[in-house]
Amino acid sequence: MAMTLEDQAVKLKEVEDRSKGNSRRIETLEQKVADISDVVGVLQAMKKDLEYLSKNVDETKTDVKAIMEKPAKRWDTLVEKVLWGVLSAVLAFVLAKGGL
């Protein structure tokens, strides 16, 4: 079964149309791949920024914790000094009553 010249022309036209359609699809896919590549680059940069921010947040939390502990340490020191003062006064009173 040999194809006629007309059948061959029709088949050739179908192949050319399919080729053009495939070319358009490939170009669209290439653009999408380029867009995805751009998005990946942006995400990688954002990841670095988030890592940097996370490190800074951790440092800030540590600093805030140290600042928050200072008044407590001061209060503990004050209470300790007051207790030593009261204890010294009581001891001095006891010694004074004992005749020393």
Side-chain angles (χ1 to χ4, degrees):
M1 290 205 173
M3 290 182 73
T4 65
L5 194 54
E6 189 175 296
D7 290 339
Q8 289 177 350
V10 169
K11 285 288 185 189
L12 181 60
K13 176 70 173 142
E14 289 173 358
V15 169
E16 285 177 349
D17 290 346
R18 190 174 330 135
S19 175
K20 288 177 185 176
N22 288 341
S23 293
R24 281 192 303 273
R25 290 175 58 206
I26 289 171
E27 288 172 6
T28 300
L29 289 173
E30 287 174 340
Q31 183 58 48
K32 287 182 180 184
V33 167
D35 292 345
I36 290 170
S37 179
D38 292 344
V39 168
V40 167
V42 169
L43 289 174
Q44 288 173 339
M46 287 176 65
K47 179 183 176 192
K48 287 181 183 179
D49 289 345
L50 286 174
E51 288 170 353
Y52 175 77
L53 288 173
S54 177
K55 180 182 173 188
N56 282 343
V57 166
D58 289 342
E59 290 175 3
T60 302
K61 284 172 57 177
T62 301
D63 293 344
V64 167
K65 187 175 180 179
I67 290 169
M68 295 292 287
E69 289 175 353
K70 275 188 176 184
K73 288 179 184 177
R74 287 182 185 152
W75 178 253
D76 291 343
T77 302
L78 178 64
V79 168
E80 182 182 352
K81 289 180 181 180
V82 168
L83 287 175
W84 278 111
V86 169
L87 182 60
S88 297
V90 169
L91 186 59
F93 179 74
V94 169
L95 290 175
K97 285 292 185 180
L100 291 176

